[in-house]
Amino acid sequence: MEPVLPSSELGSADGGRSAPDASTVVLLFAETAAEEDLLRAWMEDSGRSGWARVRAGRDELERHLAAEPGEDPNVLPVRVAWLPRERRGDRRARLRDVVALRDPRRPKPSAQARIARADPGRSRVIVGEPARVSDLRRRFAGRDGEAFGTFVERQGVLALERAERAVIGDQYKVPRLVHQDLSASARFKAMVERLAREQEREVDDVAREADAALEEMVASQSRLAVDAWDRFGRWVARAYTLDVDSGPIEELRRLNRSRALVFLPSHRSYMDTLVLRPVLHRHGFPPNHVLGGANLDFWPIGPVSRRNGYVFIRRSMKDARVYKAVLREYLAYLLRKRFNLEWYIEGGRTRTGKLRPPRYGILSYLIDAFGQTDIDDVALVPVSIVYDQLHEVGAIAAEEHGARKQAEGLSWIIGYSRAQQRPFGRAHVRFAEPLSLRDALRDDASVPKVAFEVLHRINGVTPVTPSAVVAFALLGGEDGAVTFEEGRALIRPVLDYVEARGIPTVVRAGDAAVVRGALATLVREGLVTAFTGGTEPVYAVAPDKHVELAFYRNNAVHHFVTRAITELALVHAAAGEFADPADEVWQEALRLRDLLKFEFFFPRKRDFAGDVRAEMTILDPGWEQRPAVAGEIEDVLEHAPVLFAPRILGPFLEAYGLVADRLAAHDPRTAVDEEAFVRECLGIGRQYAMQRRLHSGEAVSKELLRGALQLAANRDLVDPGRDEVRAGREAFAAEVRDVLGRVERIRAAERGRSWPA
């Protein structure tokens, strides 16, 4: 049985087969007689039999730590690690172990001696980093109420955990004794005393509340649970093949050697964390501490999740000052110990397919925690996760039409897992460039600026998928059926544009088989109908499935928003008498950017100007070399191989028009009840869709209607008022009608063209 020695011991007086050293105390962590026998045999074999030794948990440790004047012994922690049986180079727990909750890393005492004899490779002596008693006493300073021996044993456990990862890998890096270590720290006690003074409460009373909050949120990871979750995740995610751009991962591993990583993925599905976890595990990352809402803390998922690093946080922390302070301390502790974090900055799954506005709560706590420590840096890692198909899109669409969200529970997880039995294509995982939190704060970035930069980077690496281009072809037109070749004729210039702009994609213009496969899956899932009784098959959006199909288009909609805005700005410039039409295009692009600021994440104005200029160059390569003439602008659009505004912005603008019209119809002196108003707009939207007064059935969506109402509130058009509110609402409605008129002009131009073959 070979020992595992820390690198600092190799070649030193404390490692190898050194002569006995009376200045070293070997701290034995042995829970059974078999483990103690193994450790004693190891000491004899390695020439350490004459060293002082003491078992953890024994009172005599204090005597050994009380050194005579002039003495400063080393404390060397050792213990036995038990490993699962090796099978084809893999030492993970088997499925039968997981099901029986039998941990091969903690075999029964009665079996340990037999295992050591029959399979010696399963037992290893782990040797932790030694520490001088003087150093330990210095680190112990300020921990009133805790015995020095208890502190030393806890430090020994942590040192052994670090040494053991040399054997089992960083994938099994799990925190130990977090509650004890954190609650006994001087920082934590100072926080409790400060809160007691501020709230004029007894210190013991606040301490009990803080301890209870810590108990509620601290994740207690175990390696069996890590294996169990890994197998469960692979089983639930069996519907997908992972498509990972692993290029940035080595850089992330390098960063992780010096700082904690905070993974901030997009949130399109409950599947997200089950997809990201195996990607990171495969590349040697330890399990993230995943911060999420307490709504998912139900049996049996909750208990297993907690043992996998899930930190369940209360959905509401209003007036919970102690709880919020404890959360900050916990996050600071995890950052100092370089445990990686993960949460979904959107706060919940997207309802439309595009990114939702960020929630600032946890990010603000993280920034506070970072500012209160001496940590050098933390790297925020934006992650895009997008799917070819998703089972839950149907439920999301129903909720967008007003249906009640199904509560999570055991029956829900069973049904969700069963739904993954059929293949849904690929799950695409992309890592954006990490954001240095230190650099962002040094540049005076606020919490919202940091959050928006994260989301902007997620959008930048999100690839265009086959289902997105199929949805683009079928939505936004006249709801008529198209043949496959007619659809390809529309898709081809879109993909040419994607290539010209350098947009990330997993489908190319010539990928007919890929597009046909995506179309077949959408037909199978009931989002698209296929009629095969004529001369050739034709395809159309299935009745009442516009919101579901739009979800896939909206996965990539952000890549085309600036182009669509440019088209609308061009139509505006062509319709008026402007001294400088080119400048008017830019000014109108800014106005449209402001109109849509609650829907999309735009770059800074300087970068946005560059993007608009690039779009103009694609539409009209020589536009900067000659004076702009309003009459020539429409010619530019007519000769464009593809136009985006109707399919990309049409649905959003129709939702905005619906909200603007209903606000203008409301008495400005009465308050607007948001829930009732959205229900009213949903009902009228369905009516308009049935009357064909809306081109886009996906405009009838709670999320889009709420976005429009948020813009109206931002313009001070929701709160009660008198004439100024009425005039503002009417101006808002007229503004949106004008833009919708331009969308219709582009749609009419599309209607009359014959697309290139």
Side-chain angles (χ1 to χ4, degrees), residues 291 313 317 324 327-328 331 343-345 347 358-368 447-448 451:
L291 283 67
I313 298 176
M317 289 183 269
K324 288 189 282 190
L327 178 58
R328 290 190 188 94
L331 292 177
W343 76 83
Y344 296 87
I345 197 168
R359 299 289 183 90
Y360 303 130
I362 299 178
L363 182 61
S364 66
Y365 295 138
L366 179 88
I367 290 175
D368 288 345
V447 173

Side-chain angles (χ1 to χ4, degrees), residues 657-698:
L658 185 58
V659 167
D661 286 345
R662 296 319 303 162
L663 272 177
H666 269 248
D667 185 345
R669 295 166 296 181
T670 60
V672 174
D673 180 285
E674 180 177 335
E675 292 300 323
F677 182 81
V678 170
R679 285 197 301 272
E680 174 189 340
C681 289
L682 282 174
I684 294 174
R686 292 194 195 98
Q687 172 195 328
Y688 285 1
M690 294 175 69
Q691 294 175 311
R692 296 296 180 96
R693 294 172 64 179
L694 293 178
H695 283 282
S696 310
E698 64 269 30

Side-chain angles (χ1 to χ4, degrees), residues 399-631:
E399 292 162 19
E400 284 303 285
H401 281 134
R404 184 181 297 274
K405 180 178 179 290
Q406 182 183 357
E408 294 88 355
L410 180 58
S411 61
W412 169 84
I413 192 64
I414 291 173
Y416 188 85
S417 301
R418 285 176 175 170
Q420 310 307 317
Q421 294 178 8
R422 55 189 187 275
F424 283 121
R426 291 180 293 174
H428 309 277
V429 182
R430 300 291 185 269
F431 297 93
E433 180 183 357
L435 176 65
S436 164
L437 187 56
R438 177 194 59 202
D439 292 349
L441 297 178
R442 187 173 56 205
D443 296 338
D444 296 326
S446 61
V447 173
K449 284 184 178 179
V450 172
F452 274 74
E453 179 61 25
V454 167
L455 292 171
H456 185 61
R457 294 188 185 198
I458 290 174
N459 271 340
V461 297
T462 301
V464 176
T465 62
S467 52
V469 296
V470 170
F472 178 89
L474 293 177
L475 290 168
E478 302 298 320
D479 272 352
V482 297
T483 67
F484 181 78
E485 288 304 320
E486 287 171 338
R488 279 189 69 196
L490 177 60
I491 289 170
R492 186 179 295 110
V494 173
L495 294 178
D496 289 341
Y497 167 84
V498 165
E499 183 176 355
R501 292 288 279 125
I503 294 170
T505 182
V506 294
V507 57
R508 305 290 175 184
D511 292 343
V514 173
V515 174
R516 195 180 293 276
L519 182 60
T521 304
L522 291 168
V523 171
R524 185 195 70 192
E525 295 302 309
L527 276 64
V528 175
T529 60
F531 177 74
T532 59
T535 57
E536 60 180 317
V538 291
Y539 304 91
V541 182
D544 299 324
K545 296 296 183 181
H546 294 78
V547 171
E548 294 179 51
L549 193 60
F551 185 97
Y552 299 112
R553 180 203 59 204
N554 291 345
N555 287 172
V557 70
H558 56 277
H559 289 305
F560 309 105
V561 168
T562 302
R563 166 59 180 266
I565 284 176
T566 304
E567 293 172 5
L568 293 173
L570 280 168
V571 174
H572 167 78
E577 297 294 332
F578 300 108
D580 187 350
D583 181 67
E584 188 60 29
V585 168
W586 166 240
Q587 296 301 327
E588 181 61 16
L590 286 178
R591 286 190 287 268
L592 291 168
R593 180 180 186 266
D594 184 72
L595 180 67
L596 296 165
K597 64 185 178 183
F598 289 108
E599 292 297 338
F600 304 103
F601 303 105
F602 293 102
R604 294 172 299 179
K605 285 186 180 180
R606 181 181 60 192
D607 297 329
F608 181 66
D611 291 342
V612 171
R613 186 175 293 109
E615 297 295 351
M616 285 293 298
T617 300
I618 291 175
L619 283 165
D620 184 10
W623 72 279
E624 289 186 299
Q625 280 70 49
R626 62 177 184 273
V629 178

Side-chain angles (χ1 to χ4, degrees), residues 225-292:
V226 169
D227 284 340
W229 194 258
D230 180 50
R231 293 186 181 278
F232 172 73
R234 285 191 294 170
W235 176 71
V236 175
R238 63 197 182 280
Y240 295 99
T241 301
L242 290 181
D243 166 39
V244 183
D245 178 10
S246 57
I249 291 181
E250 188 53 42
E251 171 63 12
L252 294 178
R253 284 173 56 82
R254 187 191 66 78
L255 282 175
N256 206 188
R257 287 195 286 268
S258 61
R259 69 202 67 177
L261 305 180
V262 178
F263 291 90
L264 298 172
S266 58
H267 200 12
R268 291 184 169 88
S269 169
Y270 290 114
M271 197 70 63
D272 294 335
T273 189
L274 299 178
V275 166
L276 182 59
R277 170 71 170 269
V279 172
L280 297 176
H281 185 90
R282 185 185 307 157
H283 288 87
F285 289 89
N288 293 337
H289 279 70
V290 183
L291 283 67

